[in-house]
Amino acid sequence: MNSTVSWATLLSFGDKGWGDELLLGACLSLGISISAYLVGLTLGLMGAVAKISKNRVAVSAAVAYTTIIRSVPDILIIFLVYYTATDALRWAVSLAGLTSEFQVNGFVAATLSLGIVQGGYSTEVLRGAIVAIPRGQVEAAYSLGLTRRQTFFLVTVPQMVPLALPGLGNLWLVVLKESSLVSLIGFTELVLAGKMAAGATRDYFMFYCAIAFVFLAMSGISAMLFHALETATVRSGRRG
């Protein structure tokens, strides 16, 4: 009974509990995940278009990008992007004479680091979805007088989304879990907040279980949302 009360107190909100810190950490983890996911989708779409283009430079750049991302450990890429981008931005700002004490926002750095990693995986998912669309659909659009841009957004994208959703749903779960890696570059998200709470209270098992439960809840809700989205797009496609 005392153990139950102790756990409830430690997880409560206010001065005696760590609920506030864990909730803030969970919100930051979710915010980083969403931002990095959007950055990854943008880079992935650019990479996918580059890979299927006839421009050799674009194809080579996209292949090099995805090869590096898939071959090098994610945490190493995060370290490289974080410290290299930080130093590069400081140098650029200092060179412009704006300020010599420029500091990169931790949230932005974490988002950029995870987003670049996500972009490599998103490229392959989106490329596969685009290639799966029958070539006749694109040729029919051209015969109707649509430009390349119009064909891409009016014909390719609507058909690409349902095909890519299962893979993109998996990538969302991956980036949600990998948001914990940014704790290694000093950003206080859920895992680091829980680690600090566990270190202060010496109740490691309880706080790490609480962290696992929060991630499990976020992943479960995300899986249901993506399943509902997949079902909606399939039904919409059938009606179309």
Side-chain angles (χ1 to χ4, degrees), residues 154-174:
L154 297 178
V155 178
T156 303
V157 172
Q159 297 184 73
M160 173 191 72
V161 171
L163 297 173
L165 268 178
L168 294 179
N170 289 332
L171 289 181
W172 163 251
L173 295 178
V174 170

Side-chain angles (χ1 to χ4, degrees), residues 107 118 146-147 185 199:
F107 185 91
Q118 276 292 302
L146 272 67
T147 64
I185 57 177

Side-chain angles (χ1 to χ4, degrees), residues 132-205:
I133 299 173
R135 179 64 185 174
Q137 299 283 341
V138 176
E139 293 176 350
Y142 289 155
S143 67
L144 292 174
L146 272 67
T147 64
R148 285 181 175 272
R149 183 183 297 272
Q150 290 174 326
T151 300
F152 182 76
F153 287 104
L154 297 178
V155 178
T156 303
V157 172
Q159 297 184 73
M160 173 191 72
V161 171
L163 297 173
L165 268 178
L168 294 179
N170 289 332
L171 289 181
W172 163 251
L173 295 178
V174 170
V175 74
L176 186 62
K177 292 189 297 182
E178 286 191 343
S179 64
S180 61
L181 295 178
V182 300
S183 64
L184 297 178
I185 57 177
F187 192 79
T188 309
E189 41 64 70
L190 178 58
V191 172
L192 185 54
K195 182 179 179 180
M196 293 169 59
T201 62
R202 301 298 179 183
D203 202 336
Y204 295 96
F205 178 77

